[in-house]
Amino acid sequence: MYDVIIIGAGVIGAATAYCLSRYNLKVAILEAQNDVACGTTKANAALIHAGYDAKPGSLMAKYNREGSLMMEELCKKLDVPYKRNGSLVLAFDDENLETLKVLLDRGHQNGIEGLKILNKEETKKMEPYVSDECLGSLYAPTAAIVSPWELCLALAETAVRNGVELFLNNRVESISKENDIFTVITDKDTYHSKYIVNAAGVNTDTIHEMIGEKEFTISANKGQYYLFDKAQGYLTTKTLFPCPSTKGKGCAVTPTVGGNLVIGPDSSPCTKDDLDTTAEGLMFVKKASSRMVPKLDFRENIRNFAGLRAKCDRDDFIVEESKSVRNFFNLAGIASPGLSSSIAIGNAVLEWLKSKEKLIEKENFIDSRKRIKFMSLSDEEKNELIKKNPAYGRIICRCELITEGEILETFNTPIPPVSIDGVKRRVKAGMGRCQGGFCGEKVAMILKDKLGLEYDEILQDKKGSNILFNEAKGGQY
């Protein structure tokens, strides 16, 4: 019997678990996939938005501002890559210049500090590779970049260290309630709790309607991206946006915390499981981004990917108790700026629970996390570490310079990897220019050894993504 069941282990569910784990609550997370951060969290532009774009008075505006202000300290405590790099919204005509004024005013209403409209010369001085056609920009110095899957993993790991129970490969199939106790049945087991927090991303409406009346509708919107090699990283230090439209913030050109460039997304309606990239979508991204930065060399693209965003019919975040089911709390429609807002939304759930229960803060709460990043150590520190553990002296991923010791250490964490991509999300092995062409086999061998698997049981990522067939088993996984 749990006090709280959280459905979904993306960054919103993980942030909620982290916030609740500070108190005397018995909490479980149910996740349909075999790892955390397997949905929207792993496929986005990795931005912490400043907060000027959201409609004043909206929940998006409220939680974006609160979350953005908290994010730097949170990432420092949890050893998550973060960089406050600032952003520019670029104007290319007179109408765009007027839009910058609207965004500036909106940002002031939202309480965003440091916003400033720059002319063409000031913009080019700040980012010289921006198109000569740019007439000016809105500068937001508080915008930042982060590693979204590492943030999600850090929040979830810390929650687990503080007593939260994580159940992976548990897809919710039904929810019922009797005598104020919820019963959640998954494809693996049955769970009971006093409260439910619904953080199921694009499936939040489906989860809610398993027990409640229809209160909102979530549709999926697909965004497609390019990931460029670090050789193109010099083209901008700021996150670059076009002026926003009714479809969203537009196609960004942004550095990553790892030194690459991410370019995208486009925006198109899709089914809730459609992660295919398309020639049309990628061409749109190419044209839109090249208008902002003409020197982008698409021969330096090392990966394309698509992510889903939860589009709500209310045109705002839903952060509220269900109107039809008492003690059932919905976190729905959390599209952009969801990553920026995640920790603030987690705190909102905590405040809701405080209105229901008398919570006592744990005396021994673990509020920090530290990882070994071998290449960031001094030569002396590297030599000492190799003496203690020779695995740190063996490079597995040549592109990102990730050692065997770092990979092996992931299996000693509260949420160890179960796939090749799971290793990648934890230590970046396979995230470089060759995209695992050199290190993939070595990572597979480590997984085989640590998890006691046969080669045909090793997954690239999700269930069913086995990297090999076994003919002796009739070609079955």
Side-chain angles (χ1 to χ4, degrees):
M1 173 72 180
Y2 295 94
D3 294 308
V4 184
I5 286 176
I6 300 168
I7 301 174
V11 72
I12 301 300
T16 301
Y18 170 81
C19 293
L20 300 189
S21 70
R22 188 182 293 272
Y23 292 84
N24 61 326
L25 291 163
K26 186 172 174 59
V27 179
I29 309 175
L30 304 181
E31 168 55 44
Q33 303 299 334
N34 61 10
D35 202 357
V36 304
C38 279
T40 299
T41 300
K42 75 170 183 180
N44 57 73
L47 304 177
I48 303 300
H49 292 282
Y52 55 77
D53 188 56
K55 181 180 177 181
S58 67
L59 294 182
M60 284 184 178
K62 170 182 170 60
Y63 293 125
N64 187 163
R65 181 179 181 275
E66 291 177 4
S68 178
L69 291 173
M70 299 167 67
M71 194 60 68
E72 185 170 12
E73 180 183 355
L74 177 69
C75 289
K76 185 176 181 179
K77 284 195 299 185
L78 299 183
D79 200 11
V80 174
Y82 170 98
K83 184 177 182 181
R84 193 177 290 274
N85 66 317
S87 68
L88 295 171
V89 181
L90 306 180
F92 288 90
D93 54 36
D94 291 341
E95 183 180 349
N96 285 173
L97 289 173
E98 290 302 310
T99 300
L100 297 187
K101 296 177 184 177
V102 172
L103 293 175
L104 177 66
D105 178 64
R106 193 181 296 169
H108 287 158
Q109 291 183 64
N110 290 343
I112 309 306
E113 298 182 355
L115 296 174
K116 181 181 179 182
I117 291 180
L118 307 179
N119 61 29
K120 178 174 183 173
E121 290 72 26
E122 291 170 323
T123 301
K124 291 284 287 183
K125 183 177 180 181
M126 188 171 285
E127 292 294 345
Y129 294 102
V130 163
S131 171
D132 291 339
E133 296 179 9
C134 176
L135 302 179
S137 63
L138 174 66
Y139 175 45
T142 59
I145 51 178
V146 72
S147 173
W149 47 86
E150 288 186 69
L151 174 62
C152 181
L153 184 66
L155 291 165
E157 280 188 353
T158 306
V160 171
R161 283 193 174 97
N162 286 289
V164 171
E165 296 180 53
L166 173 63
F167 298 96
L168 299 170
N169 295 305
N170 269 260
R171 184 177 298 277
V172 175
E173 295 184 338
S174 69
I175 305 172
S176 59
K177 188 179 183 183
E178 186 176 354
N179 298 326
D180 286 334
I181 300 299
F182 290 100
T183 296
V184 181
I185 298 176
T186 74
D187 55 358
K188 281 284 186 69
D189 212 335
T190 299
Y191 305 88
H192 304 281
S193 71
K194 294 167 64 178
Y195 302 94
I196 288 181
V197 178
N198 176 15
V202 295
N203 295 306
T204 46
D205 54 349
T206 302
I207 294 295
H208 178 257
E209 288 165 30
M210 287 181 179
I211 187 170
E213 297 174 4
K214 188 175 185 63
E215 297 180 14
F216 55 88
T217 299
I218 301 297
S219 56
N221 229 45
K222 181 166 65 175
Q224 301 178 61
Y225 299 84
Y226 288 86
L227 176 65
F228 274 21
D229 184 64
K230 295 176 184 179
Q232 292 277 286
Y234 72 95
L235 288 173
T236 183
T237 60
K238 307 288 185 295
T239 298
L240 306 178
F241 295 105
C243 282
S245 69
T246 55
K247 288 189 174 182
K249 297 178 177 67
C251 177
V253 177
T254 181
T256 71
V257 288
N260 305 80
L261 286 184
V262 168
I263 302 165
D266 66 334
S267 178
S268 60
C270 65
T271 60
K272 293 184 177 183
D273 58 357
D274 179 8
L275 291 172
D276 294 340
T277 56
T278 66
E280 294 82 5
L282 293 173
M283 181 56 69
F284 172 86
V285 172
K286 182 177 181 179
K287 289 180 177 179
S289 58
S290 295
R291 187 186 186 196
M292 293 188 290
V293 185
K295 285 197 68 175
L296 287 171
D297 184 355
F298 283 79
R299 295 173 298 181
E300 295 292 336
N301 177 52
I302 60 174
R303 193 175 187 88
N304 298 113
F305 63 94
L308 301 182
R309 288 161 284 184
K311 185 176 181 181
C312 182
D313 57 354
R314 295 193 197 176
D315 199 30
D316 197 3
F317 292 164
I318 294 175
V319 182
E320 66 186 25
E321 185 173 3
S322 168
K323 296 176 176 62
S324 55
V325 186
R326 185 172 174 268
N327 295 340
F328 190 106
F329 201 85
N330 288 308
L331 304 176
I334 313 294
S336 178
L339 178 63
S340 315
S341 307
S342 55
I343 190 63
I345 291 173
N347 277 327
V349 178
L350 174 60
E351 292 305 311
W352 172 70
L353 278 170
K354 284 182 176 179
S355 73
K356 303 271 189 177
E357 301 276 350
K358 183 179 180 180
L359 303 185
I360 300 173
E361 201 165 348
K362 294 174 182 174
E363 294 182 0
N364 58 344
F365 178 70
I366 302 168
D367 199 17
S368 62
R369 168 182 174 268
K370 192 68 179 174
R371 293 176 49 233
I372 295 175
K373 301 171 187 175
F374 186 78
M375 286 302 163
S376 67
L377 302 177
S378 68
D379 289 345
E380 183 178 351
E381 289 171 325
K382 289 175 183 174
N383 288 332
E384 284 298 315
L385 187 57
I386 292 170
K387 287 179 183 177
K388 294 178 182 177
N389 186 349
Y392 282 97
R394 293 189 286 272
I395 298 292
I396 298 296
C397 174
R398 295 189 298 187
C399 298
E400 296 293 333
L401 299 177
I402 305 300
T403 66
E404 183 180 3
E406 290 167 279
I407 295 173
L408 291 174
E409 183 57 31
T410 66
F411 294 93
N412 297 323
T413 61
I415 311 173
V418 295
S419 68
I420 292 173
D421 282 358
V423 171
K424 178 170 70 173
R425 286 189 288 271
R426 285 158 176 78
V427 293
K428 297 179 66 177
M431 203 168 282
R433 186 178 183 93
C434 84
Q435 288 291 290
F438 174 78
C439 66
E441 180 184 358
K442 293 180 173 63
V443 172
M445 292 172 68
I446 292 172
L447 283 165
K448 178 179 182 295
D449 179 59
K450 297 300 291 185
L451 302 180
L453 302 175
E454 297 299 327
Y455 278 120
D456 63 331
E457 296 175 311
I458 295 170
L459 300 175
Q460 182 66 42
D461 193 6
K462 298 180 181 180
K463 182 179 180 180
S465 63
N466 303 60
I467 61 173
L468 294 172
F469 286 99
N470 187 333
E471 291 185 2
K473 297 179 182 179
Q476 298 297 311
Y477 290 131

